[in-house]
Amino acid sequence: MKSFGLVALLSLTVSPASGASERGSYKVIHQLDTREALQDSLESFFDTRLCTPIKQGRFSFSEEVAAPGVQLPTETFVWISGCSVRALAFEPTAQSATIRLLFELDGVNREGARQSIRGEAAATLSRPRADAWRLEKVEPAWRTESIRPEPRFVERAESAGLVVPAEADGEAAGMQAAMNSGALAVRDFNGDGIQEVLFADPRALYLFRGKEPLHYERTRLSVAPPKGAWFSSLAAGDFDADGDPDVIATTQTAWNADSVPVVLRNDAGTFTAIPTKLPPANSHASLVTDFDGDGKLDLVLLHYPMKFGPDNFLDARDGRPARFFRGMGDFTFQEVSPPKAELHRRWGLAAVAGDLLGEGRPQIYVANDFGDNDLWRFEEGGTPRDVTDAHGLRDPGNGMSADVGDVNGDGRLDLYVANMFSKAGTRVLAATQVDPKLKARLDKFAAGNTLYLARADGGFDEVARARGVNRGLWAFGAIFLDADDDGRLDLAVANGFYSAPNRKDL
């Protein structure tokens, strides 16, 4: 949906209705289009005249391409397989341009180790001709390097048996379902000490049973979603307090009609579909936690409308409120609702539970697309209250996911939110003159991911750009993990989207 484009978004948000103002608006859009066409020619220069020679082993540029001595930091490499150069800021004139470069290089150094260098630089280019560029000056602002003797991660899904079969004829739920499903639940379902993987395809659930480390056998469970619906998320937890994790598979429809979740009781690794007293709900995502602190698992369901776009790309109000269910410990649930004034109609994509406020039980942070996020605190009895503004965590943007962890080791949970970083967006917005309040909101939508560090007073400081973790590109998911076993939390960000052949916006 967000492939709609930032220029189109600007036209929706700044174009007046008619008359001279309308002509002025079209003039602004034309200027932006012209500027982006010029930017396209610059990116073609980066790809063909800078990166292509570098990947072919020619690390020094010809004088036609760059002034003598001007080059990227390639001196430690013997071979470069990955090269990306893009402009974050772009100020062109008829004969030159000043830019802010974002560059990434990946390859092998003289010791035979894998090396990656990424950074930013202020740069100046000349325009020998209208359709040509020459790099005149590069002044690095910062750069980071990582060196490792071997790849940190090796893809082993096929050899481990963690593959999904091709979809059977007549089973497809359509492109819309395929783009909005693919849930996982990783648990030791049969109690043998080896984690199993439950995977939700649009129309099927597959259980991968661990026989030994990195060896799985796939079986298909004999359950299906309601007619016309597809599986959208998996909520795994011990809902009946018998010692093994059960599963609630939520379902979704293309026309936003509610459909009944599928409840699977687990008995030592054997799943049985049982009747549910959960109400029908068109749920895109789910979360399991004990938000009321009574020792029984509770459930949160999020709604994401299945339609082209929201009523407002910057502040959508045509979704549905998040739904909160207190678990009774026997597969029954009691729905609790916020006060009417806090029933936000959001486009909910994901949620995370954690004690962000240091109260001894979790709050729930919901990442919403096309607008503001929400932090929910629960009163005695489980009533949810919106306390987002009180703690500075509204975070407007295209919220995709969130995770919590103690990043700086101070004993308080911090929060990382996956949004969208748009190189094109930063360039377009730099040349756009609109109302300052609107401009600030637009800037936030293109700024990327956010990292909130918790303070002792209950507030949070946003430090993503200062810590270099805002540029997650089109970030659909992010998690904290200690990837290198050094005792410090790292971040993994999954990004990308279905794209036309031109992928420069990813």
Side-chain angles (χ1 to χ4, degrees), residues 310-318 346 370-372 441 445:
D311 60 350
N312 186 319
F313 280 85
L314 300 179
D315 190 15
R317 304 292 180 93
D318 60 341
R346 309 289 201 205
F370 305 117
D372 295 343
R441 195 167 181 89
F445 269 66

Side-chain angles (χ1 to χ4, degrees), residues 287 300 302-303 315-317 320-324 338 341-353 356 363-369 371-378 384-397 399 402 415 417 441 452:
L287 176 70
V300 181
L302 304 181
H303 175 77
D315 190 15
R317 304 292 180 93
R320 294 187 191 176
R323 301 182 70 175
F324 305 93
E342 298 171 13
L343 284 169
H344 311 308
R345 298 180 65 83
R346 309 289 201 205
W347 289 52
L349 271 178
V352 64
L356 287 163
Q363 301 82 46
I364 293 174
Y365 191 80
V366 180
N368 298 303
D369 209 352
D372 295 343
N373 296 337
D374 304 304
L375 177 66
W376 296 99
R377 178 184 178 274
F378 296 86
R385 297 303 305 263
D386 179 359
V387 296
T388 320
D389 293 325
H391 299 279
L393 294 175
R394 189 61 71 186
D395 196 47
L415 174 69
V417 184
R441 195 167 181 89
Y452 290 101

Side-chain angles (χ1 to χ4, degrees), residues 17 22 105 160 176 226 241 295 318 322 328 342 370 389 410 417 426 431 498:
E22 183 178 9
L105 304 170
Q176 203 166 30
D318 60 341
M328 302 293 104
E342 298 171 13
F370 305 117
D389 293 325
D410 63 358
V417 184
T426 59
Y498 287 95

Side-chain angles (χ1 to χ4, degrees), residues 107-364:
V108 176
N109 65 17
R110 295 186 180 91
E111 286 70 42
R114 298 289 306 186
Q115 180 170 349
S116 298
I117 297 179
R118 67 187 301 267
E120 243 181 60
T124 304
L125 298 103
S126 61
R127 297 178 64 189
R129 303 183 306 277
D131 60 345
W133 298 93
R134 183 175 188 261
L135 196 57
E136 301 293 343
K137 184 186 296 184
V138 175
E139 299 177 341
W142 62 265
R143 80 182 205 186
T144 60
E145 297 185 33
S146 61
I147 299 175
R148 53 189 183 275
E150 58 186 23
R152 182 170 293 165
F153 298 100
V154 178
E155 205 284 313
R156 297 259 181 98
E158 188 170 2
S159 63
L162 288 168
V163 292
V164 180
E167 204 166 40
D169 291 341
E171 196 173 290
M175 178 63 75
Q176 203 166 30
M179 291 172 61
N180 292 278
S181 61
L184 290 173
V186 181
R187 297 286 191 280
D188 181 7
F189 288 111
N190 60 5
D192 64 356
I194 301 176
Q195 299 284 309
E196 280 87 46
V197 178
L198 184 65
F199 172 75
D201 222 12
R203 297 289 301 170
L205 297 181
Y206 294 99
L207 179 64
F208 296 85
R209 296 192 182 276
K211 298 300 181 182
E212 57 187 71
L214 288 178
H215 180 72
Y216 294 85
E217 291 184 0
R218 184 187 69 221
T219 59
R220 178 171 175 169
L221 302 187
S222 57
V223 294
K227 184 178 180 180
W230 62 80
F231 290 121
S232 55
S233 76
L234 298 173
D238 188 6
F239 294 108
D240 56 0
D242 67 349
D244 48 23
D246 312 294
V247 175
I248 296 175
T250 66
T251 58
Q252 192 169 20
T253 67
W255 53 91
N256 291 319
D258 289 337
S259 56
V260 179
V262 175
V263 178
L264 300 174
R265 186 185 65 221
N266 178 22
D267 296 299
T270 299
F271 289 99
T272 304
I274 64 172
T276 176
K277 293 184 179 180
L278 281 168
N282 197 53
S283 301
H284 176 76
S286 57
L287 176 70
V288 179
T289 187
D290 180 12
F291 58 66
D292 58 0
D294 66 353
K296 301 168 187 175
L297 289 181
D298 309 312
L299 182 66
V300 181
L301 301 181
L302 304 181
H303 175 77
Y304 191 90
M306 289 290 100
K307 60 178 185 175
F308 173 71
D311 60 350
N312 186 319
F313 280 85
L314 300 179
D315 190 15
R317 304 292 180 93
D318 60 341
R320 294 187 191 176
R323 301 182 70 175
F324 305 93
F325 298 87
R326 295 183 63 206
M328 302 293 104
D330 58 357
F331 286 112
T332 62
F333 296 87
Q334 174 191 6
E335 186 166 9
V336 291
S337 298
K340 187 176 181 179
E342 298 171 13
L343 284 169
H344 311 308
R345 298 180 65 83
R346 309 289 201 205
W347 289 52
L349 271 178
V352 64
D355 189 6
L356 287 163
L357 306 183
E359 295 181 336
R361 64 183 185 189
Q363 301 82 46
I364 293 174

